[in-house]
Amino acid sequence: MSTEDTMHNNEHDHEHHGNFWTTYVFSTDHKIIAKQFLISGIIWALLGGALSVIFRLQLGFPDMDLTWLKPILGEWIDMQGKLDPEFYLALVTMHGTIMVFFVLTAGLSGTFSNFLIPLQIGARDMASGFMNMLSYWFFFVSGVIMFISLFLETGPASGGWVIYPPLSALPQAMSGSGLGMTMWLLAMALFIVSTLLGGINYITTIINLRTHGMTFTKLPLTIWAFFLTAIIGLLSFPVLLSAALLLIFDRSFGTSFYLSEIYIGGEALPNIGGSPILFQHLFWFLGHPEVYIVLLPSLGITSEIIATNSRKPIFGYRAMIGSMMGIAILSFVVWAHHMFVTGMNPFLGSIFTLLTLIIAIPSAVKVFNYLTTLWKGNLVFTPAMLFSIGLVSYFISGGLTGLFMGNSAIDIQMHDTYFIVAHFHLVMGSAAFFGMLAGVYHWFPKMFGRMMDAKLGYVHFWLTFIGVYLIFFPMHYIGMAGFPRRYYSWTNFDTFNGFTDLNMFVSVAAIVTFIAQFIFLFNFFYSMFKGRRATANPWKSTTLEWTTPINPGHGNWPGDIPKVYRWPYDLSKPVNEEYSKKLSEKEIQEMPDFIPQSVPFSKTPETNFQNENELIALEKEENKAIVVNEEK
Amino acid sequence: MFQVVIGIGILLIVLILFMLFRIGTLLDVVKGSGQKTVTKSNKVNALLFFVFLILGFGSIFVYSYVYFDDYNIPLASEHGADTDFLFWVTMVITGVVFFITHILLFVFPMKYSYNEKRKALFFPENHKLELIWTVVPAIVLSILIFSGLKVWGEITSKAPEDAEVIEVMGQQFAWTPRYPGADNKLGEFDYRLISVDNKMGVDFSDEGSYDDFIPREIHLPKGKPVLFKIRARDVIHSVFAPHFRVKMDAVPGMPTSFHFVPTKTTQEMRNETENPEFNYELACAEICGRGHFAMRMIIVVDTPEDYEKWKSEQMSLVAQNETLFGLVPDDKKELAIIKGKVEVKEEVVTESSEEEIIETEENLEEAQASL
């Protein structure tokens, strides 16, 4: 195999010999930056998860004495050992913010776009390593600010992760809208800068730095997903920045973009003429594409993993790209379905119902394509494959409930109840999370040169997969019963007085699922140093990253960058008619069931289709050097 | 002491787990299972998917059946019947898709788990199949969309002329309803007029306000259209009356509205639910601060006769509070006394406390004195 050759080539050709700081901290190498994003993401995920455990304790066991949390939460636990209702809201808000932005946007795109784009398209690094480094450090600073805000005396931002004004604009309305909100806005502004720097880089790299032969129709679906994600991010995040900026003006400089006719704290405010709805439009103009910014990379990752481990080409490669493009475009014109009952013009509601339900079509196509890829495959259940199948399951369950929420008439009752909580935690939260975990299990050997322990991976998967369903499936029932979200307790209402058992059950499931993540943590850090050494291509995959040395250095390939001849899904390609007569049964049996993208058609006459044979001539004409290189 | 024991216990369990893990990996190395494409685990995982499928579906069926009445809140409005119907139609359609896709998703792992002797089918695309599963969802979705839009259009259409108008204002952390009184006209309001006494900012120079009243709970007539005029005083709230399938945000600076027809009186619902303590409730559905979870108000649905009776018994704002009466311009005080029935005697007062009766009488005297 050609990969074996290149491995032994002068490995240190492109290695830069920097010190610890330039190699591991202020690195411009995309692989190190990816790992920085990944580890930051893991830390944030733990924190975000821990916050949810605390508020689940409140919801599941409202009478519990939480005094034991006093060392961490201090004054937020009162003398009776009860959680402060305002801090409950702060927990909910920070859980959402952290998970959506810091884990599933930065942790996911930041990790895998950075890691896989150069490796899978055949580039030495990102277009601008420096910008890439800046992207991480902006994210880091943003994280530091957000983290510090957790410890403010007045509490962190508490108005929900959507930070609707006037609640978020007026410190009189809740204490979290004071300094906590200021820091939230500052952190998000820096976060947006980070995302934009990253996004520009991903797009430029994919457009300009593809290796010879890597046309857009030969790109792995991961790259397509990252590409579209970056474009969505680049177009929508600036809108959030402007929304945040106007909010900053309203908060600090007395403008009235979002404020009008407010009487609060015993006085009538002078602000007139603003519209809180304006903020919601601006926010959801990012907020909805954000869902796909979170989800698309995961869908790309699973496409790759499911194809590889089914030993089958992904079904409908072009349809997959088409549906991702469809989703990307439609994601910009559905935002107001979050606002059906805000008093927005009902006619707008009709339009957005229509557009919203249209977006279900490309999503459905994707699901069917996944299923068909599994059909008659030869399925290998690596942990990554398990998580990918888990993702498809969540995507179906959560996606289908979207048809309720997207339909404005049904949404009247379901809006802001636990039904929506169940919906988005499955389709966006858990599905994206599973894509991320699948990606970690799958590309861990490439990242660290070692394998993660598969058995621990299985245990982690089953506990998490079942756990997540036990947490979120019951919430559908709770939501149908009308329970509103962001409630500290429901006992004030006769209507919402039931389901104490079910809420307790959900909380227990959440705690168990959270603890199960420590299996992953152990596996991750233990395997990094003590795991079994990886082989060059442990999953027998076709994409370019597996043609690099086991531990790729700076520049990724020691010699020339491999050229690409075929699409990334030549798995279990059948022997053509001509050769099935020539070769014996045994010979056919022993042929590898995958052909890497870097293998030219001239090397695989047995499996070439008619039109591919015609390409052989082109290969020689275009580049004779490559043939020489291969034979070396 | 107890905590130390727990701590040591957890530590021991973690250590035992770690030892088990080490033994497991060493065994794997001895057996060389790391070198194989698949191990026995492959079959186990495939089987587990199937087991999960059976148990998962089983629990969903059992729970959905046994607890049906718990998670379905009784319905008490006309348009709610339509949205509930849509909900269940969508539930059936998505339910079928949910079950079929999940059966495929979890049976395929069993059926096609790795076998060295077998080769996967090279099946990169099939335009016919793809066309089918693009067009079929599109058709089903358009049915859902158009039936949804029809209902949405009706719900959000203009309220009928004869609708009972009730203003509902959200504030941190309570609801305040205001009824237009006999003239069916709500007095104007301005947020700058809000004070401790005039908590809704009613403009008492407007004649429409003299018979307006603010009751302690919302009363609605059964079978008559009701229009909620919704506004907020400080931050965004959301009017949520779950039994009526009503939800609409209350936005400061931007009045909203929602109209509906209640179909069952509170008493009827008490009989239906066999709960003599049943009450319709109004909740807040948009995060609004510390007390978001406590914005409860009772809604009572009466028969139209009872409703009219109740209405006629309510005391107007100007009659209730002398400070508010003082806000009425002098040249309109006479009108306010007539419209606001300031001379009404105590037999009226059913809901108000003794204190207020006295207060009212004082008002009355004062009003008469000022004439």
Side-chain angles (χ1 to χ4, degrees):
Chain A
M1 292 258 328
S2 58
T3 47
E4 301 281 321
D5 302 334
T6 43
M7 252 171 47
H8 299 297
N9 272 341
N10 18 350
E11 222 164 85
H12 296 285
D13 246 8
H14 294 275
E15 199 74 71
H16 287 243
H17 291 281
N19 59 22
F20 173 80
W21 288 97
T22 53
T23 316
Y24 294 108
V25 183
F26 297 105
S27 170
T28 56
D29 184 276
H30 71 101
K31 298 183 290 297
I32 295 289
I33 295 173
K35 290 174 201 172
Q36 289 173 331
F37 269 113
L38 178 59
I39 289 174
S40 314
I42 289 175
I43 293 168
W44 276 115
L46 274 181
L47 188 64
L51 298 183
S52 71
V53 167
I54 300 175
F55 66 69
R56 258 340 295 188
L57 281 177
Q58 163 62 29
L59 293 175
F61 309 92
D63 301 323
M64 194 180 190
D65 183 358
L66 292 177
T67 314
W68 56 279
L69 278 170
K70 243 180 174 332
I72 316 170
L73 298 182
E75 294 297 307
W76 297 116
I77 305 285
D78 70 10
M79 299 305 281
Q80 283 80 43
K82 292 267 167 290
L83 187 69
D84 183 85
E86 206 152 317
F87 195 69
Y88 167 83
L89 294 177
L91 289 171
V92 175
T93 305
M94 294 314 278
H95 168 74
T97 307
I98 289 171
M99 288 304 196
V100 171
F101 293 113
F102 288 15
V103 180
L104 294 176
T105 304
L108 180 60
S109 272
T111 305
F112 291 103
S113 295
N114 267 316
F115 192 74
L116 292 179
I117 288 173
L119 285 172
Q120 287 198 332
I121 66 170
R124 299 248 177 245
D125 206 318
M126 280 290 175
S128 165
F130 179 69
M131 261 166 71
N132 211 13
M133 180 187 83
L134 277 187
S135 162
Y136 176 76
W137 287 103
F138 268 104
F139 165 59
F140 185 84
V141 175
S142 147
V144 168
I145 295 173
M146 197 63 95
F147 186 72
I148 292 173
S149 84
L150 285 171
F151 301 98
L152 293 175
E153 202 187 340
T154 50
S158 330
W161 79 281
V162 295
I163 58 154
Y164 284 175
L167 185 61
S168 62
L170 306 170
Q172 306 96 299
M174 71 192 315
S175 69
S177 298
L179 187 56
M181 194 64 224
T182 307
M183 289 176 81
W184 192 97
L185 288 166
L186 183 64
M188 282 315 295
L190 292 173
F191 181 86
I192 293 166
V193 173
S194 154
T195 311
L196 296 183
L197 283 170
I200 291 169
N201 231 337
Y202 307 149
I203 295 169
T204 319
T205 310
I206 293 171
I207 292 177
N208 292 314
L209 297 184
R210 283 166 290 124
T211 183
H212 192 274
M214 182 64 96
T215 56
F216 268 87
T217 48
K218 293 196 184 82
L219 284 177
L221 285 174
T222 36
I223 303 300
W224 267 106
F226 300 147
F227 183 57
L228 293 169
T229 305
I231 293 176
I232 299 176
L234 208 59
L235 294 176
S236 62
F237 266 110
V239 181
L240 179 66
L241 187 64
S242 60
L245 204 63
L246 298 188
L247 184 54
I248 290 172
F249 287 160
D250 272 8
R251 288 167 53 80
S252 310
F253 306 114
T255 57
S256 312
F257 291 107
Y258 307 134
L259 306 178
S260 183
E261 303 183 27
I262 292 165
Y263 177 91
I264 196 166
E267 60 166 344
L269 303 184
N271 311 66
I272 278 195
S275 165
I277 305 295
L278 169 66
F279 177 86
Q280 296 177 18
H281 279 296
L282 291 174
F283 181 86
W284 287 113
F285 192 86
L286 156 93
H288 198 79
E290 172 66 24
V291 171
Y292 295 98
I293 291 174
V294 162
L295 196 56
L296 278 180
S298 283
L299 292 176
I301 287 169
T302 41
S303 304
E304 196 66 21
I305 293 171
I306 287 182
T308 304
N309 290 301
S310 299
R311 314 308 300 154
K312 256 187 87 178
I314 191 85
F315 180 80
Y317 172 73
R318 276 161 201 271
M320 285 298 231
I321 297 172
S323 45
M324 281 199 285
M325 282 179 167
I327 289 174
I329 295 166
L330 285 170
S331 75
F332 280 100
V333 290
V334 298
W335 78 88
H337 67 214
H338 298 267
M339 301 165 55
F340 286 142
V341 295
T342 55
M344 181 181 77
N345 187 326
F347 178 69
L348 265 182
S350 315
I351 300 295
F352 279 96
T353 298
L354 189 72
L355 291 163
T356 300
L357 295 195
I358 289 175
I359 210 170
I361 297 171
S363 311
V365 169
K366 285 194 84 76
V367 168
F368 293 133
N369 284 2
Y370 282 133
L371 289 175
T372 318
T373 308
L374 293 173
W375 177 69
K376 292 202 173 177
N378 213 2
L379 311 182
V380 184
F381 297 109
T382 62
M385 179 67 162
L386 294 177
F387 276 98
S388 302
I389 293 176
L391 177 146
V392 177
S393 173
Y394 293 152
F395 190 57
I396 297 171
S397 314
L400 285 172
T401 48
L403 298 184
F404 295 82
M405 319 300 313
N407 201 334
S408 50
I410 304 176
D411 185 60
I412 295 172
Q413 178 71 0
M414 293 299 143
H415 187 84
D416 270 339
T417 63
Y418 265 70
F419 200 81
I420 186 84
V421 178
H423 161 72
F424 72 74
H425 273 98
L426 282 176
V427 76
M428 157 183 169
S430 307
F433 225 104
F434 266 42
M436 186 167 166
L437 288 168
V440 173
Y441 279 106
H442 194 76
W443 280 287
F444 191 87
K446 194 78 265 163
M447 286 181 180
F448 300 103
R450 291 172 184 270
M451 310 292 284
M452 282 178 86
D453 186 79
K455 289 225 169 69
L456 285 182
Y458 301 145
V459 176
H460 174 222
F461 168 74
W462 284 107
L463 285 177
T464 315
F465 182 59
I466 296 170
V468 165
Y469 263 131
L470 293 185
I471 299 168
F472 297 115
F473 211 87
M475 287 190 189
H476 291 108
Y477 298 107
I478 300 177
M480 283 163 73
F483 282 51
R485 64 196 282 213
R486 295 169 180 148
Y487 265 35
Y488 174 74
S489 112
W490 290 288
T491 44
N492 286 304
F493 291 85
D494 300 336
T495 315
F496 312 133
N497 221 346
F499 285 132
T500 41
D501 296 351
L502 200 59
N503 267 314
M504 204 185 289
F505 178 84
V506 167
S507 294
V508 172
I511 293 164
V512 172
T513 312
F514 180 69
I515 293 173
Q517 303 317 304
F518 287 90
I519 300 174
F520 168 79
L521 272 190
F522 167 76
N523 198 357
F524 184 84
F525 288 105
Y526 181 85
S527 306
M528 204 187 280
F529 302 104
K530 295 262 176 103
R532 194 157 50 78
R533 284 194 187 281
T535 49
N537 189 356
W539 319 118
K540 299 191 183 131
S541 191
T542 54
T543 39
L544 279 187
E545 75 272 29
W546 306 104
T547 63
T548 61
I550 292 175
N551 288 305
H554 199 67
N556 297 339
W557 285 268
D560 291 335
I561 298 177
K563 319 223 160 175
V564 164
Y565 298 93
R566 56 180 78 231
W567 77 327
Y569 299 104
D570 270 348
L571 291 150
S572 299
K573 205 174 177 192
V575 173
N576 55 30
E577 253 177 62
E578 190 190 341
Y579 276 85
S580 55
K581 284 172 209 147
K582 283 190 206 163
L583 297 170
S584 73
E585 194 92 336
K586 194 159 177 286
E587 278 172 311
I588 293 176
Q589 188 74 41
E590 277 168 4
M591 275 170 59
D593 64 352
F594 69 107
I595 310 169
Q597 285 191 279
S598 55
V599 174
F601 290 115
S602 52
K603 293 268 172 179
T604 57
E606 307 88 353
T607 56
N608 287 351
F609 294 119
Q610 198 53 48
N611 61 333
E612 290 169 342
N613 277 326
E614 286 156 20
L615 294 172
I616 295 175
L618 269 161
E619 269 167 24
K620 282 182 184 143
E621 239 169 68
E622 258 184 20
N623 208 327
K624 285 180 182 142
I626 185 70
V627 181
V628 177
N629 203 7
E630 285 291 329
E631 285 167 356
K632 185 172 73 175
Chain B
M1 189 57 207
F2 189 58
Q3 279 158 334
V4 175
V5 174
I6 290 178
I8 293 173
I10 291 173
L11 195 72
L12 277 176
I13 291 170
V14 170
L15 277 177
I16 291 168
L17 286 176
F18 180 70
M19 289 310 291
L20 284 175
F21 161 72
R22 283 300 296 161
I23 293 166
T25 33
L26 289 176
L27 277 177
D28 274 351
V29 172
V30 175
K31 285 194 284 192
S33 40
Q35 313 305 319
K36 294 181 204 154
T37 314
V38 294
T39 57
K40 229 186 242 164
S41 312
N42 218 49
K43 288 272 178 221
V44 176
N45 280 315
L47 185 68
L48 281 173
F49 272 122
F50 189 70
V51 173
F52 179 78
L53 177 79
I54 302 296
L55 289 181
F57 280 0
S59 343
I60 293 174
F61 275 125
V62 170
Y63 193 91
S64 303
Y65 183 76
V66 175
Y67 294 93
F68 188 81
D69 288 334
D70 285 356
Y71 61 83
N72 275 291
I73 32 178
L75 167 72
S77 73
E78 268 180 13
H79 77 273
D82 296 335
T83 56
D84 278 15
F85 178 71
L86 271 180
F87 180 89
W88 286 107
V89 169
T90 313
M91 184 63 90
V92 169
I93 291 172
T94 52
V96 169
V97 178
F98 176 75
F99 284 115
I100 292 177
T101 46
H102 268 93
I103 288 169
L104 296 179
L105 184 67
F106 291 149
V107 168
F108 285 167
M110 282 273 280
K111 205 155 175 235
Y112 302 114
S113 79
Y114 190 81
N115 180 345
E116 276 178 27
K117 298 195 182 77
R118 205 159 49 85
K119 207 167 185 185
L121 177 71
F122 188 83
F123 187 50
E125 57 188 356
N126 180 326
H127 292 299
K128 208 168 149 194
L129 265 181
E130 290 171 78
L131 199 68
I132 290 174
W133 62 51
T134 312
V135 172
V136 172
I139 293 170
V140 176
L141 280 169
S142 23
I143 296 171
L144 287 179
I145 291 170
F146 288 110
S147 46
L149 288 184
K150 195 167 157 277
V151 174
W152 173 251
E154 284 160 17
I155 295 172
T156 57
S157 62
K158 212 164 167 288
E161 289 290 323
D162 61 336
E164 282 292 320
V165 178
I166 300 160
E167 186 178 46
V168 181
M169 185 190 78
Q171 74 197 69
Q172 287 180 329
F173 298 97
W175 297 106
T176 315
R178 180 164 67 124
Y179 284 69
D183 66 354
N184 274 328
K185 263 163 79 186
L186 281 166
E188 300 283 312
F189 65 88
D190 186 329
Y191 83 105
R192 280 164 295 203
L193 298 175
I194 296 175
S195 65
V196 179
D197 289 294
N198 189 6
K199 57 182 174 178
M200 291 185 93
V202 178
D203 180 357
F204 287 99
S205 64
D206 178 24
E207 291 160 16
S209 68
Y210 299 150
D211 55 353
D212 292 2
F213 63 88
I214 296 180
R216 299 191 166 184
E217 46 191 33
I218 297 177
H219 279 245
L220 304 175
K222 178 191 163 184
K224 279 190 76 181
V226 173
L227 172 66
F228 276 174
K229 289 195 161 184
I230 301 163
R231 64 186 168 109
R233 197 168 90 164
D234 34 43
V235 300
I236 300 177
H237 303 272
S238 188
V239 169
F240 178 31
H243 297 93
F244 305 106
R245 312 298 192 253
V246 166
K247 193 177 287 134
M248 182 51 71
D249 281 6
V251 185
M254 195 192 88
T256 57
S257 66
F258 200 106
H259 66 88
F260 62 102
V261 181
T263 52
K264 286 173 198 161
T265 64
T266 301
Q267 193 52 51
E268 282 169 352
M269 197 55 110
R270 282 181 181 165
N271 298 340
E272 188 188 313
T273 55
E274 290 166 10
N275 173 11
E277 264 147 46
F278 175 88
N279 268 318
Y280 293 116
E281 288 174 312
L282 180 65
C284 179
E286 183 66 65
I287 181 171
C288 59
R290 188 181 184 88
H292 171 50
F293 66 104
M295 285 180 64
R296 173 176 187 252
M297 171 153 274
I298 290 180
I299 300 178
V300 180
V301 179
D302 299 315
T303 57
E305 303 81 53
D306 286 352
Y307 174 72
E308 289 305 328
K309 185 159 167 277
W310 171 82
K311 247 171 70 168
S312 65
E313 287 162 355
Q314 296 305 305
M315 196 176 291
S316 67
L317 281 170
V318 281
Q320 235 175 30
N321 188 324
E322 66 182 287
T323 322
L324 297 184
F325 184 75
L327 293 172
V328 178
D330 286 343
D331 59 329
K332 290 184 178 171
K333 280 216 159 73
E334 190 176 359
L335 185 64
I337 288 168
I338 297 164
K339 278 191 85 176
K341 291 186 188 162
V342 186
E343 68 275 346
V344 180
K345 291 270 176 338
E346 65 265 77
E347 98 274 352
V348 183
V349 187
T350 52
E351 306 266 331
S352 319
S353 63
E354 288 294 319
E355 224 179 292
E356 276 168 322
I357 298 171
I358 298 162
E359 213 173 88
T360 324
E361 280 170 346
E362 280 168 6
N363 280 350
L364 198 69
E365 279 157 25
E366 201 173 282
Q368 278 161 349
S370 70
L371 267 171

